Amino acid sequence: MLPIVLHNYFRSSTSYRVRIALAMKGLSFTYVARHIRRGGNRMPDYLAMNPQGLVPTMVWPDGTVLGQSLAIIEFIDEMRPNPPLLPADPFGRARVRMLAQMIACDVHPVNNFRILDALRERFAADDAAVADWFGTWVKTTFEPLETILSSSAESGTFCHGDTPGLADICLVAQVVNNRRYDIDMSPYPVICGIVEECLKLSAFIDAHPTNQPDAE
Amino acid sequence: MLPIVLHNYFRSSTSYRVRIALAMKGLSFTYVARHIRRGGNRMPDYLAMNPQGLVPTMVWPDGTVLGQSLAIIEFIDEMRPNPPLLPADPFGRARVRMLAQMIACDVHPVNNFRILDALRERFAADDAAVADWFGTWVKTTFEPLETILSSSAESGTFCHGDTPGLADICLVAQVVNNRRYDIDMSPYPVICGIVEECLKLSAFIDAHPTNQPDAE
């Protein structure tokens, strides 16, 4: 059987999400580095697989090619159900997807490289303006996320109960990204506690940006 | 049994997504308008349900409260499986989620009101600059989306085969939004064909922004 192949970039938080999911499932994969600051994601062979030119792209052993990290992770979870990345009950699944989407739809997309680059190019945003932009959208979502996690009976050691899953994956990838922008995390003690627990786990450590072959 | 309640705003494309899903399932609901340009989403009773202060929020008859449109729609799909909004096979589900997330993660979040407002406030972006920003991110995703839909054997009358589903829901809501910014849709004939088919269906028509009680 062919290996799973993951085209990705060490620093990309969407790549980090998928690496964690693969590691949690105990799935090994071939790591193909696509350096998004040097056009690795704009090469013709890559665009043929992923016309968006975004990382990550996963190629499953049967040749199935998928983009979009959350779609990839749910696919992995369906193909290899143990350990599950989503709860067994519909409300639990919805809550975990909601928490994941708070990060994946409301923080990451507005703070990724192409948006920050566009702010510099179109509006002459300087480093301070870019950092403030990044921090604003983290705060706008992390405040309500902290509220939900600290007030909900479903929260546990992790975002949902005492086993890590999809929401934790997205949360950790974002928090690791936040550190590059020196975001003050002190207003978010519950989030920080969950992230600390996650980062004790080998899947989160092995998949961490600093532990990848293309890390700089 | 209590009714389903949807807190939403006629013009919000994430609200439109959930209204379509409810209509496709034949589920009636109580419509609560939250005017996001007049602070309806920042009122204390709303923030108590949805600390993000984003629309929509759905309250299920058992009292379950959910935010994030894609999480809501998958919950509805799990609670009322017919007609299904996702394909039966894992790859099909992944493909549909991928297409939906191309809109939900890469277009909508960077073009919603709060981001456009921030461009005006922080960078003194004028109407032309805002329109160009909006158009840029539509084009950046719609070009590869057109490529995928036009080259994939899985595409049919709709995004995936010949029954409408989650990807079509997100696509139509975005295209209706595009019209407010006079986006040239001529480069996307396959997308336009799918949207035209969707807009023949009563669920997409009934849920359309212009047909809501708070439409202006």
Side-chain angles (χ1 to χ4, degrees), chain A residues 13-14 17 102-112 174 177:
Chain A
S13 75
T14 52
R17 291 177 197 160
M102 287 176 68
I103 305 283
C105 297
D106 294 329
V107 184
H108 175 263
V110 297
N111 278 349
N112 68 9
Q174 182 61 46
N177 212 9

Side-chain angles (χ1 to χ4, degrees), chain A residues 51-52 54 64 67-68 71 74 78 90-91 93 97-98 101-102 105-106 109-110 114 122 132 136 140 144, chain B residues 51-52 54 64 67-68 70-71 74 78 90-91 93 97-98 101-102 105-106 109-110 114 122 132 136 140 144:
Chain A
Q52 279 196 285
L54 298 176
T64 295
Q68 291 292 337
E74 291 226 22
E78 293 185 6
F91 169 67
R93 278 195 293 279
R97 288 183 177 127
M98 177 185 77
Q101 289 164 19
M102 287 176 68
C105 297
D106 294 329
V110 297
R114 64 183 184 174
R122 288 168 181 247
D132 192 63
T136 294
T140 300
Chain B
Q52 279 196 285
L54 297 176
T64 296
Q68 291 292 337
L70 296 192
E74 291 226 23
E78 293 185 6
F91 169 66
R93 277 194 294 279
R97 288 183 177 127
M98 176 185 78
Q101 289 164 19
M102 286 175 69
C105 297
D106 294 330
V110 297
R114 65 183 185 176
R122 287 166 182 249
D132 192 63
T136 295
T140 300

